[in-house]
Amino acid sequence: MFQSILVPLDGSEHSQMALRVACKLTPQTGARVILLHVPEPLEHEPLLVWGIGAVPLGSTMEEREKVGQSLLDKAVEEARSYGLDPDAITAKRAHGDPRQLILATAKEQNVDAIVMGSRGLSELKGLIVGSIAHRVSHAADCRVITVY
């Protein structure tokens, strides 16, 4: 069992599964779960995000912020449904390079583990430049659990 886990979320099925796994890996009392959403630029087509719907190509940053907040709100509710203390759940949004922000957040929050999906919403890009999960696992100072 881990006392603190970082869960990067993008709304993909893999990140949803990562949240479920993270909740099962934490003890019911005293554990911290940090949820992190780093929106990636939309490059090609609308993407389905965690039951929220498609994020249209022409969406403004404000619209994408709303979608990101909705995603985090749903994730917090799911974590609560697994019995985690609401005060032990932190939801954060950040902008920039997802890999760097995941690693920086893990370090600043002093987490025991990062639990993340193996593939995000931008699967094609991941095949070309290497997945974020793969790059995080090679650079993190803590355990990284990749969920398929």
Side-chain angles (χ1 to χ4, degrees):
M1 298 255 186
F2 298 103
Q3 292 300 311
S4 59
I5 296 178
L6 172 63
V7 184
L9 300 168
D10 66 0
S12 66
E13 284 185 43
H14 290 263
S15 73
Q16 291 175 51
M17 182 62 73
L19 175 60
R20 287 185 216 116
V21 168
C23 290
K24 291 177 182 179
L25 291 173
T26 58
Q28 296 300 321
T29 56
R32 291 183 312 126
V33 174
I34 299 98
L35 308 173
L36 176 65
H37 175 63
V38 181
E40 291 187 72
L42 300 175
E43 296 174 0
H44 299 290
E45 58 187 79
L47 303 170
L48 294 177
V49 178
W50 204 332
I52 298 169
V55 179
L57 271 178
S59 64
T60 65
M61 184 55 87
E62 183 178 315
E63 291 168 330
R64 291 183 59 214
E65 289 291 328
K66 286 181 186 177
V67 170
Q69 187 58 52
S70 180
L71 183 150
L72 284 171
D73 292 344
K74 285 180 180 268
V76 167
E77 285 305 312
E78 185 165 341
R80 286 180 182 169
S81 75
Y82 278 94
L84 270 69
D85 180 355
D87 293 333
I89 304 168
T90 303
K92 299 177 65 156
R93 282 182 299 168
H95 294 278
D97 176 41
R99 179 189 149 286
Q100 290 177 348
L101 289 166
I102 291 165
L103 293 170
T105 302
K107 186 171 265 191
E108 88 183 20
Q109 295 290 324
N110 195 30
V111 299
D112 299 323
I114 301 168
V115 179
M116 61 190 301
S118 61
R119 294 232 189 267
L121 291 172
S122 58
E123 289 185 34
L124 179 61
K125 182 179 171 188
L127 291 173
I128 296 167
V129 298
S131 75
I132 293 170
H134 178 76
R135 292 183 294 166
V136 166
S137 69
H138 285 280
D141 293 331
C142 62
R143 295 193 192 311
V144 178
I145 300 168
T146 306
V147 178
Y148 294 91

